[in-house]
């Protein structure tokens, strides 16, 4: 069943008002280069349906490359996508993008992936909300952290990702929320440490609430702070320069301070069409502190961090 396979394509029977996108992020070993490659589809009646590949780099370079929908292929059994000459899977990405204003080619392979666990009671990062058929947007975390090998050539410039860090997530549904915070980093002082935070306004049966999904991977354990496991969002402060968040669950407390930096413009879905515009950076800093019963288990700073702050959220 697709509900237990967040990584695969969910749009086979969709005819209108649907989007799906996968987010592959690469950071070089020396942390000087970061690039996110976002393949996806936008489905609507008429000629607006299409496939796409979005790009964003840590120097705020962005591009949106549009393809005929007929050039999109997805397997029903596994993460295996093709858009024209570009291939995406759980284990590698191969790119051959040639457009009037950007060329990107090369191959990167992945190893030692760390996916968000999938169980019957909690099929992925969405938890039991995955079973709700009316959600505006669904979210999957396919690998919190993995190793990279390979090179890409962006407009003839070599990007060497040998020994670097990778991350994969995805979204699908009709629209992104009206307001959200998203941040992610797996470039900490201690290897195999990764964080992903999503806080958003969630429509729910004629009303709305502020929901959140937080995963912090440290020392082989994924600490989860989510709406569905009765965690609490105890602090939410957004300023021009900072985002301050605090989550609590039983005897655990996760404190986050993100330092905002300039970003680049990406497109986002509105009722299936990629008509929205958002700002994302891949160069934010994130300070993270995890405590248990007041005793610090971890304190560190994540670099090459993705950060989006859109709209106004309420606690």
């Amino acid at each position: 069943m697709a509900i237990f396979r967040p990584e695969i394509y969910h749009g086979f029977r969709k005819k209108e008002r649907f989007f799906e996108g996968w987010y592959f992020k690469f950071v070089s070993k020396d942390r000087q280069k970061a690039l996110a490659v976002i393949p996806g589809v936008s489905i609507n009646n008429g000629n607006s349906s299409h496939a796409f590949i979005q790009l964003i780099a840590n120097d705020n370079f962005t591009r949106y490359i549009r393809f005929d929908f007929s050039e999109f292929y997805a397997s029903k059994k596994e993460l295996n996508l093709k858009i024209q000459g570009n291939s995406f899977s759980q284990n590698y990405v191969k790119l051959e993008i040639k457009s009037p204003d950007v060329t990107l080619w090369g191959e990167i392979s992945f190893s030692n992936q760390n996916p968000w666990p999938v169980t019957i009671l909690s099929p992925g990062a969405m938890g039991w909300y995955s079973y709700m058929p009316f959600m505006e947007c669904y979210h999957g975390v396919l690998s919190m952290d993995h190793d990279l090998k390979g090179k890409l050539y962006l407009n003839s410039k070599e990007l060497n990702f040998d020994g670097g860090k990778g991350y994969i997530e995805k979204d699908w549904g009709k629209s992104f929320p009206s307001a959200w915070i998203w941040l992610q980093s797996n470039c900490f002082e201690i290897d195999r440490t990764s964080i992903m935070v999503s806080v958003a306004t969630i429509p729910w049966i004629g009303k709305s609430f502020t929901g959140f999904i937080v995963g912090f991977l440290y020392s082989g354990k994924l600490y989860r702070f989510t709406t569905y496991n009765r965690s609490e969002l105890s602090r939410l402060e957004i300023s021009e320069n900072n985002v301050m968040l605090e989550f609590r669950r039983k005897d655990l407390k996760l404190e986050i301070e993100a330092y905002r930096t300039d970003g680049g413009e990406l497109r986002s879905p509105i009722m299936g069409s990629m008509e929205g515009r958002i700002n994302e950076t891949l160069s934010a800093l994130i300070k993270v502190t995890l405590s248990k019963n007041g005793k610090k288990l971890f304190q560190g700073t994540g670099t090459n961090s993705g950060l989006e702050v859109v709209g106004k959220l309420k606690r």
Side-chain angles (χ1 to χ4, degrees):
M1 292 177 63
I3 195 170
F4 300 111
R5 302 292 304 277
E7 73 278 9
I8 66 174
Y9 179 52
H10 289 70
F12 284 107
R13 293 187 177 89
K14 304 297 182 181
K15 302 296 184 183
E16 60 179 348
R17 297 180 180 180
F18 179 80
F19 82 95
E20 190 157 1
W22 293 256
Y23 183 96
F24 293 82
K25 182 184 174 188
F26 315 120
V27 180
S28 62
K29 185 177 181 179
D30 62 7
R31 303 189 182 182
Q32 296 301 303
K33 308 175 199 67
L35 177 70
V37 180
I38 310 165
V41 294
S42 171
I43 298 178
N44 239 317
N45 285 334
N47 295 327
S48 61
S49 293
H50 64 279
F52 63 84
I53 298 176
Q54 285 203 88
L55 308 173
I56 181 170
N58 58 329
D59 62 358
N60 301 329
F61 169 91
T62 62
R63 286 295 185 275
Y64 186 92
I65 305 102
R66 180 174 174 142
F67 302 84
D68 288 342
F69 190 82
S70 61
E71 296 187 274
F72 174 78
Y73 163 85
S75 169
K76 294 182 178 181
K77 298 180 179 180
E78 59 185 352
L79 174 53
N80 181 7
L81 313 172
K82 291 181 174 59
I83 302 177
Q84 209 173 75
N86 304 278
S87 300
F88 305 87
S89 78
Q90 191 74 37
N91 299 312
Y92 72 92
V93 162
K94 183 178 181 180
L95 299 170
E96 294 181 6
I97 297 173
K98 295 179 181 179
S99 74
D101 59 349
V102 62
T103 61
L104 177 62
W105 63 276
E107 184 171 347
I108 301 178
S109 60
F110 319 142
S111 59
N112 302 315
Q113 292 95 331
N114 287 270
W116 192 290
V118 173
T119 66
I120 293 178
L121 295 179
S122 185
M126 292 279 293
W128 60 262
Y129 286 102
S130 299
Y131 289 106
M132 301 296 104
F134 51 79
M135 301 296 289
E136 179 182 49
C137 184
Y138 298 87
H139 187 72
V141 178
L142 311 187
S143 180
M144 292 284 294
D145 179 77
H146 51 263
D147 300 319
L148 303 178
K149 182 179 181 180
K151 298 177 182 179
L152 297 177
Y153 295 86
L154 177 60
N155 292 334
S156 300
K157 181 180 179 181
E158 182 183 278
L159 305 178
N160 189 336
F161 291 106
D162 284 342
K165 287 291 183 181
Y167 171 83
I168 312 172
E169 68 171 42
K170 66 172 293 193
D171 294 282
W172 68 99
K174 292 184 178 181
S175 302
F176 275 1
S178 60
W180 75 86
I181 297 170
W182 172 84
L183 60 87
Q184 180 277 329
S185 180
N186 55 339
C187 295
F188 288 86
E189 301 94 329
I190 300 176
D191 196 29
R192 298 287 176 232
T193 303
S194 179
I195 190 166
M196 188 286 299
V197 175
S198 178
V199 183
T201 300
I202 310 298
W204 186 261
I205 315 177
K207 298 182 180 181
S208 65
F209 66 93
T210 299
F212 54 92
I213 301 169
V214 180
F216 179 58
L217 179 66
Y218 170 62
S219 192
K221 181 176 181 179
L222 181 62
Y223 294 86
R224 284 167 273 193
F225 299 81
T226 67
T227 304
Y228 56 82
N229 73 3
R230 298 185 180 181
S231 297
E232 176 191 359
L233 173 58
S234 51
R235 185 181 185 184
L236 170 59
E237 297 178 13
I238 302 172
S239 68
E240 184 177 348
N241 299 316
N242 301 72
V243 176
M244 308 286 289
L245 297 165
E246 182 180 286
F247 301 91
R248 294 175 181 265
R249 185 182 179 220
K250 297 181 180 178
D251 54 358
L252 292 170
K253 180 172 70 172
L254 185 69
E255 300 170 90
I256 300 165
E257 182 174 7
Y259 297 86
R260 303 174 70 172
T261 57
D262 292 336
E265 183 181 87
L266 292 178
R267 298 194 189 189
S268 64
I270 300 174
M271 297 305 291
S273 296
M274 300 298 289
E275 297 175 352
R277 298 293 185 272
I278 63 173
N279 184 276
E280 179 180 324
T281 180
L282 293 184
S283 58
L285 291 177
I286 302 174
K287 288 187 176 180
V288 178
T289 303
L290 177 68
S291 304
K292 183 174 183 178
N293 290 323
K295 182 180 179 181
K296 290 181 181 178
L297 301 180
F298 173 87
Q299 188 171 47
T301 300
T303 64
N304 302 95
S305 307
L307 177 63
E308 300 171 358
V309 181
V310 178
K312 290 188 177 181
L313 282 167
K314 297 179 181 179
R315 260 184 53 190

